[in-house]
């Protein structure tokens, strides 16, 4: 959802489907884009057609000027706080109004990306000069006479002045503050200076606050921050990294904060380095992870590897789990005894969760004997973690670490 627009593969007027709910991102380019199920993916690959029920139509208009520090994500979170996470269920949404038109293309991509979080089938913005300027010159964009012809067609892709929608929703941009969520779904949001609502007495509301460790009527200003995630298809574009770098420049990350900064594509990663943003981030104590990692994958990796760790309690000679708040690396050192946990259990859990995994030389033959994704590294070749660094983490000599590693090293 980042690569398509930035390479000029996503163009106005296209119909784009993918087995992922955030396919609605591409609607920012004036495309009809939505997520589909696995069996529907098969239908599309076989026939280039798909059978769908026609959704209802909704236009959300946001007029006025956004305040200082208010971004497209704040707009989306504000809409969810007003409409709930099911407020657009069954609808395909068109975003309109001066506040939407004034967004950059990166902002529009973020806004449309989050349509599904309101329950919408998809979201879109009619193409205009912002769209055309963004597309022009990109790798797969039309060139020469084809460009002029394409733009002439794209300018027709807008709702008629007298178009009637099944539902119209209007918001004033001046009412939108920088947003923060206090609960367990994105609809539980409020302006950052506001307090958690105290008038919701439902059991589900209280259960959410109990989980978060918050109280009704409480302010979130001054609360300790544990984790920071910047990336994925919502906020992994160059504009997001520029904003983040501008905030941390000259400052230092607190030692207790775990931060994941993940460029949305290799092109974004390259641009970060070309602009020197990586140096600003490094000086502030932040590291840039390999593109493609998502918060969900990282968290799931922690969950799965912790299960592995619990199974090995009392048997540190079997394998080690290196943690820094979350699981960072699993190193398996089975001795082949019948009492030890099955080596394939560790591997399968790590591979499923994309946890970095290394096994000792003794286990290498069994690793390669099974049809599991693994990479045999030439001796001395570094793959994210070098063998020397792994040995340092374990407090062991380099010879004890195998040259067989999982393909998911960061």
């Amino acid at each position: 959802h980042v690569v398509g627009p930035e390479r000029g593969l996503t163009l106005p007027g296209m119909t784009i489907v993918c087995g992922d709910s955030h396919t609605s991102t591409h609607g920012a380019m004036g495309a009809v884009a939505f997520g589909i199920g696995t069996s529907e993916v098969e239908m599309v690959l076989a026939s280039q057609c798909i059978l769908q029920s026609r959704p209802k139509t909704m236009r959300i208009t946001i007029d006025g000027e956004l305040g200082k520090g208010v971004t497209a994500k704040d707009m989306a979170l504000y809409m969810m706080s007003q409409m709930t996470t099911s407020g657009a269920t069954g609808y395909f949404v068109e975003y309109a109004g001066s506040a939407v038109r004034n967004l950059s293309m990166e902002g529009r991509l973020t806004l449309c990306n989050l349509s599904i979080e309101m329950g919408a089938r998809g979201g879109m913005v009619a193409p205009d000069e912002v769209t055309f300027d963004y597309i022009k010159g990109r790798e797969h964009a039309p060139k020469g006479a084809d460009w002029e012809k394409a733009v002439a067609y794209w300018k027709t892709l807008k709702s008629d002045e007298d178009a009637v929608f099944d539902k119209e929703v209007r918001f004033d941009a001046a009412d939108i503050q920088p947003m923060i969520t206090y609960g367990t779904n994105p609809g539980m949001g409020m302006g950052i200076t506001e307090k958690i609502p105290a008038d919701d007495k439902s059991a589900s509301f209280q259960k959410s606050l109990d989980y978060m460790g918050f109280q009704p009527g409480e302010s979130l200003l001054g609360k300790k921050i544990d984790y920071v995630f910047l990336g994925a298809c919502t906020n992994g574009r160059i504009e997001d990294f520029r904003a983040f770098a501008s905030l941390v420049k000259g400052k230092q990350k607190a030692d207790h904060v775990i931060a994941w900064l993940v460029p949305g594509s290799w092109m974004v990663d390259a641009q970060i380095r070309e602009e020197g943003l990586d140096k600003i981030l490094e000086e502030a104590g932040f590291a840039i992870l390999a593109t493609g990692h998502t918060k969900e994958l990282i968290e799931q990796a922690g969950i799965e590897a912790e299960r592995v760790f619990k199974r090995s309690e009392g048997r540190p000679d079997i394998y080690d789990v290196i943690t820094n708040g979350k699981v960072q690396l699993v190193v398996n050192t089975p001795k082949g005894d019948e009492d030890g946990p099955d080596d394939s259990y560790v591997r399968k859990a790590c591979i499923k969760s994309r946890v970095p995994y290394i096994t000792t030389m003794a286990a290498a033959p069994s690793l390669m004997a099974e049809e599991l994704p693994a990479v045999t590294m030439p001796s001395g070749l570094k793959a994210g973690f070098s063998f020397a660094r792994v040995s340092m983490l374990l407090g062991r000599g380099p010879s004890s670490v195998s040259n067989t590693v999982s393909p998911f090293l960061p």
Side-chain angles (χ1 to χ4, degrees), residues 44-378:
V44 172
L45 292 176
S47 68
Q48 286 294 291
C49 299
I50 186 170
L51 184 65
Q52 293 282 294
S53 298
R54 182 170 180 167
K56 292 181 287 186
T57 58
M58 178 188 293
R59 179 163 54 190
I60 298 179
T61 303
I62 308 176
D63 282 316
E65 289 190 21
L66 295 173
K68 183 179 179 180
V70 178
T71 68
K73 190 163 189 178
D74 296 311
M75 295 168 74
L77 289 173
Y78 177 77
M79 286 188 285
M80 284 179 246
S81 73
Q82 301 298 304
M83 298 173 60
T84 77
T85 52
S86 60
T89 299
Y91 291 89
F92 206 102
V93 176
E94 178 179 346
Y95 298 104
S98 58
V100 174
R101 290 286 170 204
N102 289 332
L103 289 175
S104 66
M105 184 51 64
E106 284 86 354
R108 295 180 185 189
L109 289 163
T110 294
L111 184 64
C112 290
N113 172 276
L114 292 166
S115 300
I116 189 65
E117 312 303 339
M118 295 191 298
R121 196 74 180 89
M124 67 184 302
V125 177
D128 58 13
E129 292 303 323
V130 173
T131 318
F132 310 148
D133 290 344
Y134 179 87
I135 296 171
K136 190 172 185 178
R138 295 190 181 268
E139 184 179 355
H140 296 283
K143 305 290 191 300
D146 289 337
W147 169 257
E148 299 300 330
K149 183 178 179 181
V151 170
Y153 168 61
W154 294 341
K155 287 181 177 179
T156 68
L157 301 177
K158 58 183 179 181
S159 297
D160 296 335
E161 292 295 330
D162 58 352
V164 177
F165 290 77
D166 293 311
K167 188 171 184 178
E168 292 265 13
V169 181
R170 291 185 173 275
F171 296 110
D172 187 340
D175 295 333
I176 306 174
Q177 292 186 49
M179 297 289 290
I180 189 167
T181 57
Y182 54 84
T184 53
N185 73 64
M188 300 177 76
M190 63 183 186
I192 199 166
T193 61
E194 296 175 352
K195 295 182 178 180
I196 297 173
D199 55 352
D200 191 333
K201 307 299 181 183
S202 67
S204 61
F205 182 81
Q206 191 57 52
K207 186 177 180 180
S208 293
L209 293 191
D210 290 343
Y211 178 84
M212 296 297 293
F214 297 149
Q215 296 295 324
E218 195 174 18
S219 171
L220 296 190
L221 290 178
K223 291 286 186 182
K224 181 181 175 182
I225 293 172
D226 301 306
Y227 299 95
V228 173
F229 179 78
L230 175 69
C233 56
T234 304
N235 287 117
R237 299 176 182 83
I238 188 62
E239 188 176 274
D240 303 302
F241 279 84
R242 287 171 182 157
F244 190 92
S246 73
L247 294 172
V248 302
K249 187 176 183 179
K251 302 181 178 67
Q252 275 294 309
K253 179 181 77 68
D255 290 338
H256 72 275
V257 171
I258 296 174
W260 300 308
L261 310 185
V262 186
S265 71
W266 290 113
M267 183 181 283
V268 173
D269 185 276
Q271 197 166 351
I272 288 170
R273 299 176 197 284
E274 286 171 10
E275 297 182 14
L277 301 180
D278 57 323
K279 299 294 189 294
I280 295 173
L281 297 172
E282 286 169 11
E283 289 171 4
F286 295 92
I288 299 173
L289 299 182
T291 183
H293 289 75
T294 69
K295 176 175 174 290
E296 291 76 13
L297 278 176
I298 294 167
E299 288 179 340
Q300 182 65 14
I303 292 167
E304 290 292 342
E306 282 166 9
R307 288 175 185 158
V308 173
F309 178 75
K310 288 176 182 177
R311 182 161 176 171
S312 71
E313 286 175 356
R315 297 299 302 272
D317 57 315
I318 301 298
Y319 43 79
D320 301 271
V321 177
I322 309 302
T323 63
N324 178 14
K326 287 287 185 181
V327 173
Q328 304 297 310
L329 175 69
V330 175
V331 179
N332 198 5
T333 61
K335 293 182 177 179
D337 57 322
E338 294 181 0
D339 296 328
D342 168 46
D343 185 46
S344 67
Y345 170 83
V346 185
R347 289 199 303 281
K348 288 176 181 176
C350 292
I351 289 167
K352 173 186 175 183
S353 308
R354 303 178 71 87
V355 180
Y357 170 87
I358 294 180
T359 184
T360 58
M361 188 64 77
S366 65
L367 174 66
M368 301 310 293
E370 296 185 30
E371 293 183 0
L372 292 171
V375 177
T376 300
M377 305 300 297

Side-chain angles (χ1 to χ4, degrees), residues 379-399:
S379 179
L381 182 64
K382 295 181 179 181
F385 279 103
S386 68
F387 302 138
R389 185 177 178 199
V390 170
S391 300
M392 178 184 69
L393 287 170
L394 295 175
R396 302 173 182 172
S399 62

